[in-house]
Amino acid sequence: MSMDAVAVWVAAHPLTPSDVDCATTVMLKILDGKCKMSETDKVVMAALYDAVKHRPGQRFGDDLHALIAQARAPGGEALRDFIYEKRVLAETTLSRPVMKAFKAMIRAEGLFAGLEEEDADA
């Protein structure tokens, strides 16, 4: 799924500030190397984060977005331990049911639709 397709999906699916926080938390997990998603799913989730990072979150704000930008820049790997700490804090701040509901919603609403076929073709 392309960045454009994710942006279209985001435009068609009103996401709440809590959803923005969940996307931010997943991005932290991707960056700290603890994410167990497939590489394709990571790319889609990073594109989702990029599409919503300018929106206000319920709990998280510009400080985490700046950290994520720094970690994604060349040499950002040095921040991995600090990212890990921030990710654990973010996951603690959000309840498990909130994260599970977010992940279920994006799957049910088709964010990952067709990716299984794309993976099989690769």
Side-chain angles (χ1 to χ4, degrees):
M1 177 172 280
S2 70
M3 294 274 294
D4 291 339
V6 172
V8 168
W9 185 92
V10 168
H13 296 85
L15 297 177
T16 67
S18 181
D19 293 333
V20 173
D21 288 342
C22 290
T24 301
T25 301
V26 173
M27 192 67 220
L28 289 168
K29 194 166 188 170
I30 290 169
L31 290 171
D32 80 1
K34 304 296 184 193
C35 187
K36 295 179 183 172
M37 291 180 175
S38 72
E39 290 304 313
T40 301
D41 286 357
K42 288 178 189 178
V43 169
V44 171
M45 288 305 298
L48 176 62
Y49 169 77
D50 287 335
V52 301
K53 67 184 177 189
H54 66 281
R55 296 181 181 185
Q58 186 174 0
R59 298 167 187 87
F60 310 136
D62 292 339
D63 57 335
L64 274 185
H65 297 305
L67 178 64
I68 288 169
Q70 188 178 1
R72 293 172 93 183
E77 301 82 23
L79 292 172
R80 187 169 283 189
D81 289 340
F82 189 62
I83 293 286
Y84 169 80
E85 292 172 17
K86 290 295 187 179
R87 191 262 304 167
V88 170
L89 181 61
E91 286 182 331
T92 302
T93 302
L94 297 173
S95 69
R96 283 185 83 105
V98 168
M99 282 297 292
K100 284 183 167 263
F102 169 73
K103 289 175 183 176
M105 180 274 295
I106 61 176
R107 288 202 184 278
E109 293 296 323
L111 181 62
F112 296 96
L115 291 180
E116 291 78 20
E117 293 83 21
E118 289 177 22
D119 285 341
D121 293 339

